[in-house]
Amino acid sequence: MTTIDQRQPVLITGAGGYLASWIVKYLLEAGYHVRATVRNKNDFKKIGHLLDIRPGEGGILELFEADLTRPGDFNKAMRGCEVVFHTASPFLIGKVKDPQKQLVDPALEGVRNVLYSAAETPTMKRVVLTSSVVAMYCDAREILDKPSKKFNEEDWNRIADLQYEPYAFSKTIAEKTAWALMHEQKQWDLVSLNPAFIFGPPVGNRADGASVATLQRALSGEMRIGAPDLAFGIVDVRDVAQAHILAAFNPEASGRYLLSKQSMSFLELANEIDAAFPGKYKLPNKVLPKWLVVLLAPVLRLSKRYLRNNLGYRPEFDNTRSTSLLGLSYRPVRETIGDMVRGIEGAL
Ligand code: NAP
């Protein structure tokens, strides 16, 4: 049981990112004192939307510069905080030239540096870590081995490595390291949030994250000849942000929380967009045959191994802990997709 004094400042890392911006917005609107770390305070393209948020009574935003890979960078911003939301981590999908340098080093060093700072901050009580469902599974095909036919908080990704699904590997080792560091001490506890693919509108007009880019690709007509038979969990960015806030301030919150509203295929996603905006976008209306997807693998930026283990399999997720213990309620996917398309139309 961890009780947080909500009048004290709270720290959030990677504050200008797609997800973090919603956490910052909700915290400021609710009147919290928010310490926000960003890589560059003068990069208004990346942080301008944070400055536009109108805080509620008592809400304060303080910006600090910090890089995941620089030891000690989070010490100053963390002073006096009882909670840290550690969201910062590179989220890159598709071609990554140097996975060690671009993904694993920042994810792992980031967790270490943030948690070492927590250990040096006597007021620190709770670390809320943004992990991912990709730290729980690698390939949709693994669902066949699950007696419940659903992934849940007991699962770990045991397959990803530097060569195969390096983003998932970076999230898995970062979360495992966080749990190991938590067990070495008794001062602060750790709660991890493991969201599925996050969709929903961005705060303001920052539109460079991987979630927004994925929807932009779908809307661009790139898949109009057909969609690969791939499916994933989907969750609204605003619900994920609320889950972080519930996890921070609920004294009973503990362990991992898988966050997913439902599973969807690319074709189902396209159908949702078409239902909300009939005929407006050149969307796929059929599934591509397997052989064609394999042929198109390089264009789709998907490896043959990935296709073999994911094409035609549908991962399902058990979100019971998030609803029954954390008290999260999920908005319908139609609202998520509709708001997201409206939110990024200006950037298309
Ligand atoms: P995003 O917009 O790209 O945010 C990533 C954040 O990490 C950015 O603020 C970025 O800073 C920061 N960052 C990256 N490298 C850094 C470094 N070396 N030093 C300091 N900060 C660094 O992506 P997002 O979707 O919001 O992701 C946020 C978190 O959610 C990540 O931990 C991601 O793994 C996790 N997640 C995302 C999804 C999803 O579908 N989007 C699903 C599950 C989990 P800049 O602002 O300076 O670029």
Side-chain angles (χ1 to χ4, degrees), residues 60-81:
I60 299 171
L61 176 66
E62 274 187 285
L63 293 177
F64 292 79
E65 286 185 353
D67 194 286
L68 292 171
T69 56
R70 279 200 304 258
D73 253 19
F74 296 91
N75 286 353
K76 192 172 160 212
M78 209 180 279
R79 215 168 285 156
C81 294

Side-chain angles (χ1 to χ4, degrees), residues 13-21 37-40 43 46-47 49 65-70 73-74 86-93 101-102 105-107 110 129-134 167 170-171 193-199 206 208-212 214 233 235 237 240 244 259:
T13 68
Y18 169 60
L19 165 63
S21 299
T37 73
V38 296
R39 276 190 275 192
N40 178 357
D43 186 344
K46 284 190 167 187
I47 64 140
H49 59 285
E65 286 185 353
D67 194 286
L68 292 171
T69 56
R70 279 200 304 258
D73 253 19
F74 296 91
H86 180 38
T87 79
S89 198
F91 179 29
L92 308 171
I93 39 183
K101 222 174 164 167
Q102 290 171 269
D105 288 348
L129 174 74
T130 316
S131 186
S132 170
V133 288
V134 302
Y167 167 68
S170 76
K171 295 303 286 181
L193 282 326
N194 296 65
F197 212 122
I198 306 177
F199 281 109
R206 182 171 174 188
D208 62 343
S211 289
V212 171
T214 301
V235 60
V237 65
V240 178
H244 279 69
L259 307 175

Side-chain angles (χ1 to χ4, degrees), residues 27-226:
L27 288 170
L28 281 179
E29 287 173 350
Y32 286 89
H33 176 173
V34 180
R35 303 253 183 89
T37 73
V38 296
R39 276 190 275 192
N40 178 357
K41 281 203 281 189
N42 298 314
D43 186 344
F44 292 103
K45 267 196 187 145
K46 284 190 167 187
I47 64 140
H49 59 285
L50 296 181
L51 306 176
D52 291 337
I53 298 170
R54 290 183 58 176
E57 201 185 327
I60 299 171
L61 176 66
E62 274 187 285
L63 293 177
F64 292 79
E65 286 185 353
D67 194 286
L68 292 171
T69 56
R70 279 200 304 258
D73 253 19
F74 296 91
N75 286 353
K76 192 172 160 212
M78 209 180 279
R79 215 168 285 156
C81 294
E82 296 191 359
V83 171
V84 51
F85 299 90
H86 180 38
T87 79
S89 198
F91 179 29
L92 308 171
I93 39 183
K95 283 246 157 15
V96 175
K97 275 195 192 136
D98 187 341
Q100 182 71 43
K101 222 174 164 167
Q102 290 171 269
L103 289 166
V104 174
D105 288 348
L108 197 53
E109 288 172 31
V111 156
R112 287 193 183 123
N113 287 331
V114 169
L115 298 191
Y116 291 161
S117 293
E120 286 175 23
T121 306
T123 49
M124 184 51 60
K125 291 185 181 165
R126 175 161 290 174
V127 176
V128 179
L129 174 74
T130 316
S131 186
S132 170
V133 288
V134 302
M136 294 174 158
Y137 84 108
C138 193
D139 295 315
R141 186 183 174 157
E142 292 168 67
I143 203 72
L144 302 179
D145 304 327
K146 296 268 321 162
S148 65
K149 299 292 172 235
K150 284 185 177 182
F151 293 113
N152 64 31
E153 286 85 357
E154 284 168 19
D155 294 315
W156 281 98
N157 187 332
R158 294 172 209 282
I159 294 174
D161 60 24
L162 255 191
Q163 281 73 42
Y164 183 61
E165 297 302 304
Y167 167 68
F169 181 57
S170 76
K171 295 303 286 181
T172 308
I173 53 168
E175 192 195 328
K176 280 195 168 163
T177 301
W179 286 112
L181 290 172
M182 186 204 85
H183 289 302
E184 283 174 12
Q185 53 81 57
K186 291 199 164 51
Q187 184 199 328
W188 45 266
D189 64 12
L190 176 70
V191 182
S192 97
L193 282 326
N194 296 65
F197 212 122
I198 306 177
F199 281 109
V203 173
N205 55 8
R206 182 171 174 188
D208 62 343
S211 289
V212 171
T214 301
L215 193 72
Q216 280 172 332
R217 282 179 67 193
L219 297 178
S220 72
E222 189 182 297
M223 276 197 251
R224 64 183 172 277
I225 58 159

